[in-house]
Amino acid sequence: MSYELIGITVLWTFLYGYLIVASIDFGAGFFSYYSRITNNKHKVHHMIQRYLSPVWEVTNVFLVFFFVGIVGFFPDTAYYYGSALLIPGSISIILIALRGSYYAFATYGSKDSHLYTFLYGGTGLLIPASLTTVLTVAVGGYVSVEENHVQLLYGELFTSIYSWSVVALAIVSVLFISGSFMTFYAHKAGDQPALDLLRKYALAWSFPTIIACVIAFFGMNQRNPSHFQNMTDLSWLYGLSVVFFLAAVILIWKRKRYGLAFIFVMLQFATAFFAYGAAHLPYLLYPHLTIYDGVTNDAMAISLIIVFIAGLLLLIPSLYLLMRLFLFDTNYVKGHEADKKA
Amino acid sequence: MFEYDPVLYSRILTAITLSFHIIFATVGVGAPLMIAIAEWMGIKRNDPHYTLLARRWARGFVVVVAVGVVTGTAIGLQLSLLWPNFMQAAGHTIGLPLFMEVFAFFFEAIFLGIYLYTWDRFKSKMKHFLLVIPVVIGATASAFFITTVNGFMNTPYGFDLVDGVLTNVSPLQAMFNPATPTKVSHVIITCYLTTAFILAAIAAFKLMRGSNHIYHKKALHMTMVTGAVFAIATAAIGDLSGKFLHEYQPEKLAAAEWHFETTSEAPLVLGGVLTEDNEVNYALEIPYALSILAGGTTGEEVIGLNEFPEEELPPLFVHYLFDIMVFIGMYLLLVSVAFVLMNWHNRFNPIKRFNGFSNKMLWAIAAGGPIAMLGTQSGWFFAEIGRQPWIINGVMTVSEAATSSQHVDIMLVLFSILYAILGVTSFIVLRRMFKHYPVEHELVERGIEREGA
Ligand code: HDD
Ligand code: HEM
Ligand code: HEM
C-alpha cells in the first residue's frame, strides 16, 4: 500500500471511530435533555451520566486526531479546506466548545442546571449537522478555486437538496446510534424503566435513519455522477449495510441480544462509511485535490506512520483498561460505584 | 473606521484564543504534578489532609481541563482556518510533534477519566496514586510537543528551501531544533511555577479570610516549597533562554533590551521610555548585565538592532513585556524563598523568627497567583511578537501566512463572546464548587475530623 493510502485509511478509520463514539455522546446528551423536559429524567439521567462522565474527553480526542492527522498527512488540505471553511468551521468550534465546557460545568460544577443541560443537549445535535458540511463540500461543486483564492459558495451550499439531506442523515443517525447503544447499556445496568424508554427511542429513530441514508445515496447521483458511479460499483457493501440495519432493528424489536444489535449498528455504519470513502478516492476535494498531489513528503509520511503504530501500542491497552473499568464492570455500570466519584 | 484586513484580524483572533487557552493549559500542565505530590505525601505521611488536598484539587482541575480541551480544540482547527498557508508549510515540516501531541492528549484523557472515578475503588492507595502518573506524563508531554512546534517557528530547521519549495525534510531535526531545549524546559517549568503559585494563592486567601485550619497551612507550605524550587529553576532556565536568543535570534534580544548598537560590555536596560529618535530615558541600567545574560561574561559582544533591516524588526514595546516577565520571576522567587526560610526551623537560620503566616506575607503570596499568570502571558506575548514580522522565522511572514477570507472580523466578535462566556462561567463554577462545600465540611463528612475539631 502506498503512503497515501495508508494515511487516508488510518484517518478514515479514526473518523469512523469518532462517528460512533461522538454519536453516542451527542445523542446521549440529547436524550438526557429530552427526558428531562418530558419528565422522564429520573429514568435515564443518572445512567447516561455514568456512561459519559469518564469518557467525554476521549471522544473529543478522536476529532482532534483526525484534523491534526489530516494536516500532517495531507498538508494541502489545510490550504484548501482552511481557506474555504472559515465560517462553518468556526461555528463547529463554538458549538463544540460550548458543549464540552457546559458538560463539565453541569457534571462537576455540582449544580443541576436546566440551562447547562439544554446547552449540551441541544448543541449535541447541531455539531454533527455542522461538521458534515466538510463531507458535503468534499463532494465537489461547493467551492470555487481561482488563482490563490479558495471560496465557499454559500448560496450553492444552502440551496442544495443534497447538502440538506446529509444534514438530516447526520442528525437521525446520531439519535439512532446513541439510542441503540444506550439500550444496550441500560440492559447491562439491569435498569428496566430506562431500557424501555431508550429502546423506544432507538426504534423510533431507526426508520428515519434508513430513509435518510437512501435519500442521500441517490442524491449523490445529481451532485456528482462519477462519485455515484463508484458508489454503485460498491453497491454490495451498501446492501450489506441494509442487512445489518435490519438485523439490528429486529433484535432490538424482539428484545434480544442488545449487545449484538449494537455491533450490527456499528457494522451498518462501517460498511456504508467505508464504501462512501472508497468511492470518494482518489479525491480529497473534488476535483481540485487528490490524495496523490496533496500528500506530504516521504520522510514525514514514514515518521507519522511509525508514531501512529507506537501510539496505538500505548493506547490500546489504556483504552482496554478504561473500558474494563467503566463499560464492562457490572458494578460500575449498575451504579454501585458511581456515588463514590471524585 | 478600520479598513478590513484579514491579516490583522487573524492575528488578533489568534492572540485572543491562545492567551485564553494558555490560562487553562498552564494550569492543565502544572496541576497533575501538584496533585501527584499531594497524594504522595498523603500516603507517605499517612496524613489524610494531603489526600483530601489532592482530591479537592483534582475536582477543580477537571473543570480547568475541560475548558483547556475545548479551547485547545479551537486552536487546532483555527490554525488551519486562519493560517492556511502556514499550516500547509507546517504540515510538510513540523507535522510530527503536532501528531504526537494528540497521542499525549489521548493518554492523558484516558487516565484522567480513570483517575477521577476510582478514588475509593482499590484497596491499596498506592494503586490509585499510580494512575495519576500517566496524567502527569501526558500533560507535560503535550506541553513538550506543542512547544517544539513553537520552537520551530522561531528557529526553523530540518529542511531545505529550494526556489520556494520545501525539500529534504527531516522531521526529527525540525522537532529538535535549536530552540527546543531552552524553550521546552522554560515553558514546562513555568507551567509548574504558575500552578504552584495559583494553588498557594488559594490557601493564602483562605488563611487571610480568617480560617486557621492546619489543612490550609499544609497546603501553603507544600505549594511554597515546590514554588521556590520551580522559581529558582525558572530563573536559571530563563538565563539560558537569553543565551539562546543571543545565538539564534539576536534581533529579538536586542529589541527586548533596546540595544541599538552592537557592543560588548552591554548594560541591561530596565523600564524607561523611548524618545522619537530612539534615545532611552528614565531607565535603570545594570552595567554589563546584558553581556552576562547573553554570553556569561562581561566581554560578550551583543548584536544591536543596527545590524538588521528596518522592516524586519519587531515592535520595540516588547521591551516592557520582557521586563514584566523578568520582574515577576524575581518577585515569585523572593516571596517563595522568604516563606520557606521563615518556616525553616534551623538554629542558624537568620529569619526563622519572622512569621511566615503574617498578613503581609499572605498578601504577597495571594497576589503571586494572578501575577504568575501574568508572567506567563507576557512571556508568550514577548516571544510571539518578538518574532514579527515572521511567522516562521526567515521563511514565511505573517501576512503571507494568513487567510484571505472575508469574514474574519465576524469570527473575531463571535469568539470574543464565547471566551467571555466560558471565562465567566468557569470562574463562577469553580468558586461555587469550593464555597458551597468548604473543606471543613468535607473533613467531617469523610470522617477525618469530628465536628468542631
Ligand atoms: C511565570 C512565568 C515566567 C517567568 C517568571 C519567567 N518566564 Fe521567561 N518566558 C515564559 C514565562 C516566564 C514563557 C511564557 O513560558 C515563555 C514565552 C515563550 C517561551 O518559550 O516561554 C518565556 C520566554 C522567555 C524568553 C524568550 C525565549 C524565546 O523567545 O525563545 C526569555 C529570554 C526568557 N523567557 C527569559 C526569562 C528570564 C531571564 C526570567 C527571569 C526570571 C524569566 N524568563 C521568567
Ligand atoms: C506553543 C505553540 C504556539 C504556536 C504554534 C503559536 C502560533 C502562532 C501563530 C500562527 C500566530 C500568528 C502569527 C503571528 O502573529 O506571529 C501567533 C501569534 C501570536 N501568538 Fe502564538 N503560538 C503559540 C503559543 C502562544 C501562546 C501560548 C501565546 C499566549 C499567550 C501566544 C500568543 C500569541 C500572540 C499574542 C500573537 C500575536 C502576535 C502579533 O500579533 O504580533 N502564542 N502564534
Ligand atoms: C505552550 C502552549 C500550550 C500548552 C502548554 C498547551 C497545553 C494544553 C493542555 C494541557 C491541554 C489539555 C489537554 C488534555 O488535558 O487533554 C491542551 C489542549 C489542547 N491544546 Fe493546547 N497547549 C498549548 C498551545 C496549543 C497550541 C498552539 C495548539 C494548537 C496546535 C494546541 C492544541 C491543543 C488541542 C487541540 C487541545 C485539545 C486536546 C484534547 O481534545 O484533548 N495547544 N493544551
Side-chain angles (χ1 to χ4, degrees):
Chain A
M1 224 152 88
S2 60
Y3 296 141
E4 293 88 347
L5 273 180
I6 296 179
I8 198 69
T9 309
V10 165
L11 291 170
W12 199 246
T13 308
F14 265 77
L15 196 58
Y16 168 72
Y18 182 67
L19 179 116
I20 297 294
V21 289
S23 293
I24 295 177
D25 183 334
F26 293 152
F30 178 77
F31 289 141
S32 181
Y33 177 70
Y34 182 74
S35 56
R36 188 181 181 122
I37 54 177
T38 50
N39 282 328
N40 280 321
K41 174 179 175 214
H42 52 282
K43 286 195 196 148
V44 292
H45 181 76
H46 288 289
M47 201 197 65
I48 289 178
Q49 283 296 334
R50 213 149 55 230
Y51 165 73
L52 284 182
S53 308
V55 302
W56 76 271
E57 213 192 327
V58 180
T59 305
N60 192 55
V61 188
F62 271 92
L63 175 67
V64 176
F65 182 100
F66 178 76
F67 68 68
V68 170
I70 200 159
V71 172
F73 274 107
F74 304 102
D76 291 0
T77 52
Y79 172 70
Y80 283 95
Y81 283 103
S83 304
L85 294 179
L86 178 68
I87 293 182
S90 299
I91 291 174
S92 305
I93 299 174
I94 290 176
L95 292 172
I96 290 173
L98 284 175
R99 180 164 204 285
S101 39
Y102 278 90
Y103 173 69
F105 295 156
T107 313
Y108 308 112
S110 56
K111 185 184 144 198
D112 196 17
S113 152
H114 203 84
L115 175 71
Y116 292 1
T117 328
F118 169 71
L119 274 174
Y120 82 86
T123 45
L125 292 191
L126 297 175
I127 294 169
S130 72
L131 284 178
T132 46
T133 354
V134 182
L135 289 182
T136 309
V137 164
V139 168
Y142 297 103
V143 282
S144 74
V145 179
E146 286 152 28
E147 185 85 25
N148 268 333
H149 207 72
V150 184
Q151 250 185 330
L152 185 59
L153 306 170
Y154 288 97
E156 187 66 33
L157 186 67
F158 283 116
T159 55
S160 137
I161 299 175
Y162 176 71
S163 78
W164 287 110
S165 72
V166 176
V167 167
L169 172 60
I171 294 176
V172 290
S173 342
V174 159
L175 294 170
F176 177 56
I177 295 175
S178 182
S180 53
F181 175 79
M182 281 296 159
T183 307
F184 160 62
Y185 199 74
H187 173 69
K188 270 206 77 132
D191 185 341
Q192 196 59 39
L195 173 69
D196 288 340
L197 190 64
L198 289 162
R199 176 177 162 273
K200 230 187 282 167
Y201 291 156
L203 290 175
W205 290 108
S206 60
F207 277 91
T209 303
I210 201 73
I211 290 166
C213 283
V214 173
I215 295 176
F217 182 87
F218 289 103
M220 182 65 87
N221 193 11
Q222 269 184 0
R223 231 18 260 182
N224 184 334
S226 79
H227 189 169
F228 183 72
Q229 185 56 48
N230 293 343
M231 279 163 68
T232 42
D233 292 347
L234 291 169
S235 50
W236 61 277
L237 272 174
Y238 286 100
L240 212 54
S241 178
V242 175
V243 172
F244 286 131
F245 166 77
L246 290 174
V249 173
I250 290 171
L251 284 179
I252 297 177
W253 180 257
K254 300 206 145 172
R255 298 178 179 273
K256 275 194 198 128
R257 313 283 309 267
Y258 294 112
L260 186 65
F262 181 66
I263 290 176
F264 281 142
V265 172
M266 280 173 62
L267 287 172
Q268 173 205 341
F269 280 88
T271 40
F273 193 71
F274 280 90
Y276 176 87
H280 207 294
L281 288 179
Y283 292 103
L284 288 167
L285 174 59
Y286 186 88
H288 307 291
L289 186 65
T290 68
I291 55 171
Y292 299 104
D293 41 53
V295 76
T296 189
N297 53 76
D298 283 2
M300 184 62 82
I302 296 169
S303 54
L304 290 178
I305 291 170
I306 292 172
V307 164
F308 176 72
I309 293 170
L312 278 192
L313 293 181
L314 186 74
L315 286 187
I316 291 173
S318 323
L319 273 174
Y320 172 74
L321 186 64
L322 184 73
M323 306 234 276
R324 218 190 63 176
L325 285 172
F326 298 112
L327 206 51
F328 303 129
D329 184 297
T330 323
N331 252 343
Y332 178 82
V333 174
K334 290 194 168 153
H336 300 325
E337 291 278 341
D339 320 326
K340 296 187 192 163
K341 75 166 182 195
Chain B
M1 279 280 285
F2 291 109
E3 201 182 325
Y4 177 81
D5 175 7
V7 180
L8 179 67
Y9 288 122
S10 298
R11 287 175 66 184
I12 300 174
L13 181 49
T14 305
I16 294 179
T17 305
L18 278 162
S19 6
F20 191 69
H21 176 62
I22 206 67
I23 296 174
F24 298 89
T26 301
V27 179
V29 173
L33 181 69
M34 300 303 290
I35 294 170
I37 296 175
E39 194 172 358
W40 173 256
M41 304 251 295
I43 295 172
K44 280 295 121 176
R45 300 203 177 164
N46 201 6
D47 183 340
H49 283 143
Y50 285 105
T51 312
L52 186 61
L53 199 58
R55 212 164 168 142
R56 287 175 69 92
W57 281 347
R59 275 205 298 262
F61 171 62
V62 205
V63 174
V64 170
V65 166
V67 184
V69 168
V70 298
T71 51
T73 309
I75 301 176
L77 276 166
Q78 225 175 45
L79 280 178
S80 292
L81 298 174
L82 296 176
W83 310 99
N85 301 309
F86 164 66
M87 282 309 270
Q88 191 180 21
H92 278 292
T93 46
I94 193 71
L96 183 64
L98 273 177
F99 193 56
M100 290 166 115
E101 196 192 8
V102 182
F103 285 100
F105 289 149
F106 246 128
F107 194 56
E108 183 189 350
I110 292 173
F111 281 94
L112 184 62
I114 299 178
Y115 180 76
L116 288 174
Y117 288 88
T118 49
W119 274 98
D120 301 310
R121 210 154 148 183
F122 305 112
K123 291 234 164 49
S124 138
K125 285 185 182 159
M126 210 53 194
K127 250 192 189 163
H128 186 253
F129 168 76
L130 288 179
L131 288 171
V132 76
I133 304 288
V135 182
V136 177
I137 294 174
T140 300
S142 29
F144 175 91
F145 292 128
I146 194 65
T147 313
T148 63
V149 179
N150 189 264
F152 173 85
M153 294 164 69
N154 285 293
T155 51
Y157 246 61
F159 62 92
D160 293 326
L161 197 61
V162 184
D163 301 328
V165 179
L166 302 164
T167 58
N168 223 349
V169 176
S170 156
L172 281 179
Q173 262 185 28
M175 184 172 160
F176 294 97
N177 58 72
T180 295
T182 46
K183 192 147 217 141
V184 165
S185 48
H186 195 61
V187 167
I188 291 177
I189 206 82
T190 53
C191 286
Y192 294 162
L193 173 68
T194 307
T195 311
F197 259 90
I198 287 174
L199 296 174
I202 298 171
F205 189 75
K206 285 278 177 212
L207 289 169
M208 256 161 43
R209 279 296 168 91
S211 168
N212 216 3
H213 204 285
I214 182 80
Y215 169 89
H216 298 303
K217 291 191 173 166
K218 283 178 183 168
L220 190 61
H221 197 254
M222 188 202 125
T223 47
M224 278 293 100
V225 171
T226 46
V229 174
F230 297 143
I232 294 168
T234 296
I237 300 169
D239 180 61
L240 292 177
S241 305
K243 295 182 172 42
F244 155 80
L245 285 187
H246 172 59
E247 208 170 321
Y248 291 96
Q249 283 185 294
E251 71 282 13
K252 203 192 249 182
L253 188 61
E257 283 305 322
W258 288 349
H259 185 61
F260 292 98
E261 306 288 333
T262 303
T263 56
S264 56
E265 307 189 351
L268 194 75
V269 178
L270 289 181
V273 285
L274 215 51
T275 63
E276 292 268 319
D277 34 50
N278 288 344
E279 295 274 337
V280 180
N281 281 339
Y282 313 115
L284 184 67
E285 291 201 1
I286 308 177
Y288 310 121
L290 180 55
S291 284
I292 293 176
L293 176 66
T297 65
T298 57
E300 185 74 19
E301 190 175 76
V302 183
I303 296 174
L305 291 170
N306 59 336
E307 317 235 346
F308 301 93
E310 185 110 17
E311 66 281 2
E312 286 187 13
L313 287 184
L316 291 180
F317 73 83
V318 295
H319 173 65
Y320 297 114
L321 298 172
F322 184 68
D323 276 3
I324 292 173
M325 172 178 67
V326 175
F327 174 78
I328 290 174
M330 295 301 152
Y331 175 83
L332 301 180
L333 184 74
L334 211 76
V335 171
S336 53
V337 170
F339 179 88
V340 173
L341 285 182
M342 286 174 191
N343 287 292
W344 187 41
H345 303 288
N346 182 298
R347 214 146 38 98
F348 302 109
N349 179 3
I351 62 169
K352 68 163 185 278
R353 56 197 178 77
F354 288 98
N355 178 7
F357 292 95
S358 71
N359 242 344
K360 273 205 193 97
M361 202 57 205
L362 291 178
W363 255 112
I365 295 171
I371 286 182
M373 189 53 83
L374 187 72
T376 306
Q377 295 280 353
S378 56
W380 274 112
F381 273 80
F382 161 57
E384 298 293 300
I385 299 174
R387 194 185 54 237
Q388 298 301 308
W390 303 107
I391 191 164
I392 304 178
N393 203 355
V395 177
M396 181 186 274
T397 64
V398 170
S399 38
E400 286 165 355
T403 178
S404 53
S405 169
Q406 287 306 305
H407 308 286
V408 187
D409 46 356
I410 309 170
M411 295 305 126
L412 178 58
V413 174
L414 283 182
F415 276 100
S416 306
I417 297 173
L418 172 72
Y419 299 141
I421 295 175
L422 290 187
V424 171
T425 326
S426 38
F427 181 76
I428 295 174
V429 166
L430 282 172
R431 221 176 81 108
R432 194 172 49 213
M433 220 158 136
F434 293 103
K435 205 169 173 163
H436 284 194
Y437 194 27
V439 68
E440 285 82 359
H441 288 194
E442 189 165 0
L443 282 166
V444 174
E445 235 177 67
R446 294 193 184 278
I448 298 168
E449 268 173 18
R450 269 173 299 126
E451 199 86 48

